[in-house]
Amino acid sequence: MPRLRLALNQIDSTVGDLAGNAEAVVRWTRHSAGQGAHLVAFPEMMLTGYPVEDLALRSSFVAASRAALVSLATRLADEGLGGLPVVVGHLDRSATARPKYGQPAGAPQNAVAVLHGGEVVLSLAKHHLPNYGVFDEFRYFVPGDTMPVVRVRGVDVALAVCEDLWQDGGRVPAARSARAGLLLSVNASPYERDKDDTRLELVRKRAQEAGCTTAYLAMAGGQDELVFDGDSIVVDRDGAVLARAPQFTEECLVLDLDLPAAGADAPTGVVDDGLRIDRVVLSEEPVHGGGPASSDEPLLSGGHTERLDDDEEVYAALVAGLRAYVTKNGFRSVLVGLSGGIDSALVAAIACDAVGAEHVYGVSMPSRYSSEHSRGDAAELARRTGLNFRTVAIETMFDAYMGALGLTGLAEENLQSRLRGTLLMALSNQEGHLVLAPGNKSELAVGYSTLYGDSVGGYGPIKDVYKTSVFRLAEWRNRAAAARGQTPPIPENSITKPPSAELRPGQVDTDSLPDYPVLDAILDLYVDRDRGADEIVAAGYDRELVTRTLRMVDTAEYKRRQYPPGTKISAKGFGRDRRLPVTNRWRETG
């Protein structure tokens, strides 16, 4: 049985950085060649980054992607890597019109190419286009209509792109009809909680349907609010895991696969879902019993990286998302307003892990209502983490505004928050820091934040994290530090004291909100699962409480629209996932 050494390069790319992404392909291909690979693969849209959004509609960008692909093929050959087949995702355009989709010839396509011998020897476009959640691919692309198969070292390798595996039909059964020995799917699949388990079961199922070993290559890194968690998987035709890459880490996963030899009577023509088999033969001579150097070269298994537990996985996603946003947008440092509370403490800990404590600047901005323990907790957090810390009291500024305006009640409370927001943005302008907004998903859902106050910032690291999860992640981070013999970063008092905005004497969050465990359970049903009021009440929640909560959510849409982007960790985060009109008189509760 032929042996194919496969190199899956689970790496990051940056949207629009064609030169930088091409450089990464060359660098990792060279590394793969050094490992003796027969076939090298890179993630979906590797050359352009993913998602490109409306850049796909710009003909100049499509042309630049196509030119960069040809240039990359030439460069690989010039550097002595032309004999190694390289599978790389890019942005292409269709050669023919698609009347069914109302698209003319030249419409954009989410494409993959095989580079070999200095040329683009095979090109294909994603067949199934996702149009749910964060995906708008029907807006941009037209689907592919081929079943691409490339023969490498005597093995027929069928190719697919991300959603081609997530949807039934299409290239998975077509791979069986084409008698492929390996189904290789390249992906840019964004992270969500628990998606690693779903992904594994999906790949197992598709391998059994395709009747062949299946490799699922994922992207790592981050782009705006999306995080790509890696977790590339290879399973055999029965669904047994052969190799699994780490999460949230760039990795070249190399393994040897014993696969069926391609038959001389391999099918041609049109197969499942009207897909036309498109075959390219690169090398017929198989490799048997070892690597390319010698028959006794050790078998490479790729490894089975241990999975992260649930809280560690979410925390790692938050760190990866913030790090990608900071570095890819050219910021050198971040700025956090430190109140001594749990939200700003967790954001500061994430920031220190993402960019290093020396690049994190914390500011305590006490008012007359700030408790001594909150001021002390902010300073203690700075001591524990080693971040840069200063105190700038807002009392003088507050008195000046009050003297001029004579505000009372909620307006007086919100003034304090807005003064802090103005102070943070002033320091950002002066010193060049990226301001981090500390709001969590519970607060954003019900509008428990001050517009142009605590909501200011360029990025919201925990905007998709419910308050109950904020506490759990803080506790996990402290336990993880203690287990490593390090100082837990978050003061215990920040975790145990009742949450409060401290904008008036004795204020606590429960003055305005239900207890967070109850609130978050209702929000999960309404926001994440789109359940109506009656369904939520039927689940065991008090109708009056449900009515009040849902009204708060519905009337806070205008605030959420103005909140900065932040890392997505749930199936339905605020923003691209959940799109509701601001002007909206529909109410679940009448």
Side-chain angles (χ1 to χ4, degrees), residues 10 162 165-166 187-192 194-206 216-219 227-233 235 244-248 307 313:
Q10 171 183 291
C162 201
L165 258 66
W166 288 90
N187 308 270
S189 179
Y191 169 78
E192 295 171 9
D194 304 322
K195 194 173 186 178
D196 56 334
D197 297 329
T198 303
R199 184 184 291 133
L200 175 59
E201 292 310 309
L202 171 79
V203 176
R204 283 173 162 163
K205 178 183 178 183
R206 297 309 189 211
Y216 182 102
L217 168 60
M219 182 180 285
V227 176
F228 302 101
D229 58 320
D231 189 32
S232 298
I233 305 168
V235 303
R244 198 163 183 184
Q247 296 165 280
F248 306 105
R307 301 295 90 194
E313 179 185 282

Side-chain angles (χ1 to χ4, degrees), residues 45-195:
M45 300 286 275
M46 174 68 212
L47 194 55
T48 56
Y50 183 88
V52 296
E53 299 183 323
D54 277 17
L55 284 173
L57 305 178
R58 196 174 298 175
S59 59
S60 59
F61 186 65
V62 179
S65 171
R66 290 165 58 87
L69 182 72
V70 173
S71 176
L72 174 61
T74 301
R75 182 177 171 192
L76 288 170
D78 289 345
E79 298 201 12
L81 300 169
L84 184 57
V86 175
V87 179
V88 60
H90 65 107
L91 176 64
D92 204 355
R93 61 169 177 252
S94 62
T96 58
R98 298 290 199 280
K100 178 180 177 182
Y101 301 97
Q103 295 279 10
Q109 289 187 309
N110 180 337
V112 170
V114 180
L115 310 182
H116 185 257
E119 297 180 351
V120 178
V121 297
L122 179 67
S123 184
L124 62 131
K126 183 188 284 190
H127 178 62
H128 287 305
L129 299 177
N131 212 56
Y132 55 86
V134 301
F135 304 108
D136 287 317
E137 295 206 6
F138 269 115
R139 172 181 172 88
Y140 305 116
F141 306 127
V142 292
D145 55 8
T146 64
M147 178 64 250
V149 180
V150 57
R151 186 167 298 176
V152 180
R153 301 299 179 107
V155 175
D156 277 350
V157 181
L159 301 175
V161 188
C162 201
E163 195 72 10
D164 293 342
L165 258 66
W166 288 90
Q167 298 295 326
D168 292 333
R171 284 187 173 135
V172 173
R176 178 187 284 272
S177 298
R179 298 182 199 165
L182 172 68
L183 174 58
L184 170 61
S185 176
V186 299
N187 308 270
S189 179
Y191 169 78
E192 295 171 9
R193 263 191 324 259
D194 304 322
K195 194 173 186 178

Side-chain angles (χ1 to χ4, degrees), residues 365-369 375 392-400 419:
M365 297 168 286
S367 74
R368 67 183 63 171
Y369 302 121
R375 301 183 195 204
V392 181
I394 65 169
E395 193 70 27
T396 302
M397 292 177 274
F398 179 72
D399 289 342
L419 287 171

Side-chain angles (χ1 to χ4, degrees), residues 309-327:
D309 67 35
D310 291 346
D311 290 335
E312 183 178 9
E313 179 185 282
V314 170
Y315 191 89
L318 298 174
V319 169
L322 177 58
R323 179 185 295 126
Y325 193 84
V326 170
T327 57

Side-chain angles (χ1 to χ4, degrees), residues 21 138 221 256 349 400 582:
N21 296 335
F138 269 115
D256 288 326
V582 173

